[in-house]
Amino acid sequence: MNEIINIKDYLKENFDKTTEIIEIKNKNIPIYLKQKYSIYKTMICDKDCLLLISKDNKILIKQLLKHIEQFNALGYEHIVFCFKNINTEQRKRLLDYKIAYIIPYIQIYLPFIYLSINEKYKKEITINTFSPSTQLVYIEILLNQSENIEINEIIQKTKLSRMTINRAMRELIQLGVVYTNGKNTRKEYKRLEKEKYWFIGKKYLKSPVKKAIWINQEKIDEVYAGDSALEHLTMMNAFEYKVYAIDKRNIDKYISYEIPEQSQNCCKVEIWNYDPQLFADENNNVDIISLYSSFMNLDDERVHIELEELMEEYLNDRIRKV
């Protein structure tokens, strides 16, 4: 029974918090297979999966392949074996034959959704810059005043999947900006205090700007970014044009208005790798962390001084009057 609980908790942690595992009672399943496995069904990434929990933990590849064929013939498409442990050679053989398996809190290998999670090797991952999804999680955690981290709140705010957020959390834990208390379903996440969290994490930020275009409209109904957001949030002077940011998935809205260069009655539109509206403030400016990272490649000391002062004020809970 504990093994079922462990598998269920592990699937909840990596996929969907509402994951359910239901025992299968099918009279058409041969008796010797029922003796060999405890048989359950579950849903993983919208795929109906049959979980075969080995009772003896014996791993004979030819036998497993035969059993897969037998369950396929009964109408079960995605077969996932559950083991307590495996050795290096067994792991290699399972991977060679693309046999799906789960070892709770050690490894998940699901070739039918192109997924492999290996707990043992997570700490060996080298992080040079954040991916867009990890950067979103990093920003959401910093913008939240509490040091306690609620995964469900991050899902709601960022619209990312639980699996993607768990991957991002592992990276942040590896960097040392997030830590955990407890285990399994009672695991709690916390971040460092804001200044340390920012100081360590900022070097991994990457500009969200994929590219920028000019369009022949002075104003559009999007969030302010770049020089316009900087003008609103700092003492920087106003520019003759407005700068906005859009999600790269929405570029089709403005592509027909694109012009080759700046002209009169135009505006600049930054195309971002993630949705800039997710953390926009009440005045329709992009969040200050994304704004900071959007200028990382700009060689302008004046801009960087203003951004550093802006971040210092935020980290110390001060509001600038401009």
Side-chain angles (χ1 to χ4, degrees):
M1 189 66 180
N2 287 337
E3 192 170 3
I4 297 296
I5 294 173
N6 286 338
I7 293 169
K8 184 176 181 179
D9 289 347
Y10 193 42
L11 291 175
K12 282 184 175 183
E13 180 179 321
N14 283 281
F15 298 101
D16 188 340
K17 193 174 182 181
T18 62
T19 295
E20 294 293 339
I21 295 178
I22 302 171
E23 187 175 4
I24 290 288
K25 295 181 180 180
N26 187 334
K27 294 180 180 180
N28 295 323
I29 298 175
I31 293 176
Y32 71 91
L33 289 176
K34 294 178 180 179
Q35 292 173 340
K36 170 74 175 173
Y37 305 105
S38 297
I39 306 171
Y40 295 81
K41 67 177 180 179
T42 191
M43 185 78 73
I44 302 176
C45 292
D46 297 324
K47 303 285 187 183
D48 287 313
C49 298
L50 192 71
L51 302 179
L52 301 182
I53 303 174
S54 177
K55 294 180 179 180
D56 56 18
N57 212 54
K58 288 183 179 180
I59 302 175
L60 303 172
I61 296 300
K62 288 185 178 180
Q63 186 182 75
L64 297 183
L65 291 171
K66 182 179 179 181
H67 293 169
I68 290 173
E69 287 183 0
Q70 290 175 302
F71 280 107
N72 287 162
L74 291 170
Y76 301 106
E77 182 179 2
H78 302 299
I79 312 302
V80 182
F81 294 93
C82 302
F83 304 113
K84 293 179 181 178
N85 51 67
I86 56 174
N87 59 39
T88 302
E89 180 58 30
Q90 289 170 332
R91 177 178 175 273
K92 182 179 182 302
R93 296 272 286 164
L94 289 167
L95 295 176
D96 286 344
Y97 285 90
K98 292 183 169 52
I99 297 175
Y101 66 91
I102 294 173
I103 307 170
Y105 301 101
I106 296 178
Q107 188 170 21
I108 299 175
Y109 175 63
L110 304 174
F112 52 86
I113 57 171
Y114 308 102
L115 175 71
S116 179
I117 300 174
N118 194 327
E119 306 284 345
K120 180 179 179 181
Y121 300 107
K122 283 175 185 173
K123 293 185 179 179
E124 298 177 5
I125 299 171
T126 300
I127 303 171
N128 296 315
T129 58
F130 287 144
S131 66
S133 55
T134 299
Q135 187 153 316
L136 279 179
V137 174
Y138 174 84
I139 292 170
E140 164 61 15
I141 291 172
L142 183 54
L143 292 177
N144 193 321
Q145 292 299 315
S146 173
E147 292 183 1
N148 297 316
I149 301 169
E150 296 293 339
I151 299 298
N152 286 337
E153 288 183 10
I154 299 177
I155 292 173
Q156 184 176 10
K157 186 69 176 180
T158 64
K159 308 299 188 292
L160 296 171
S161 70
R162 184 175 296 275
M163 184 170 65
T164 298
I165 291 171
N166 284 336
R167 188 182 302 118
M169 292 298 291
R170 287 195 291 268
E171 291 185 10
L172 297 178
I173 289 169
Q174 179 182 327
L175 293 179
V177 295
V178 169
Y179 59 97
T180 61
N181 290 324
K183 292 183 178 181
N184 303 343
T185 55
R186 291 178 292 277
K187 186 183 292 185
E188 296 178 348
Y189 295 95
K190 293 180 178 291
R191 65 158 169 80
L192 298 179
E193 55 93 17
K194 282 197 295 187
E195 289 83 354
K196 290 182 180 178
Y197 182 89
W198 169 247
F199 179 77
I200 296 172
K202 69 178 181 178
K203 63 177 71 72
Y204 299 98
L205 291 171
K206 184 177 181 180
S207 173
V209 183
K210 187 177 178 67
K211 69 174 184 176
I213 61 173
W214 296 97
I215 65 171
N216 59 358
Q217 294 187 37
E218 286 190 77
K219 296 181 180 180
I220 58 176
D221 188 19
E222 303 290 351
V223 292
Y224 294 110
D227 296 326
S228 292
L230 202 61
E231 170 198 339
H232 298 161
L233 297 171
T234 71
M235 303 300 294
M236 298 289 288
N237 293 328
F239 284 78
E240 61 186 32
Y241 56 83
K242 296 296 183 184
V243 182
Y244 301 92
I246 62 169
D247 189 325
K248 62 183 179 182
R249 292 170 293 187
N250 297 329
I251 190 172
D252 289 344
K253 290 170 61 176
Y254 300 105
I255 202 70
S256 62
Y257 300 102
E258 185 177 1
I259 53 178
E261 59 186 17
Q262 181 185 357
S263 66
Q264 290 185 337
N265 304 320
C266 72
C267 70
K268 187 177 183 180
V269 179
E270 295 179 348
I271 291 90
W272 281 25
N273 282 315
Y274 53 80
D275 186 355
Q277 295 189 18
L278 288 174
F279 307 117
D281 66 20
E282 64 274 14
N283 295 314
N284 213 31
N285 299 301
V286 297
D287 69 275
I288 58 173
I289 298 110
S290 294
L291 180 65
Y292 181 100
S293 61
S294 72
F295 281 103
M296 292 181 71
N297 300 325
L298 179 68
D299 186 18
D300 188 326
E301 184 178 1
R302 186 175 53 117
V303 169
H304 289 295
I305 289 173
E306 288 288 345
L307 287 168
E308 291 294 345
E309 290 182 357
L310 185 65
M311 284 307 306
E312 183 180 351
E313 290 169 358
Y314 171 73
L315 295 172
N316 289 282
D317 299 316
R318 298 200 306 270
I319 300 175
R320 176 185 294 198
K321 296 180 180 179
V322 296

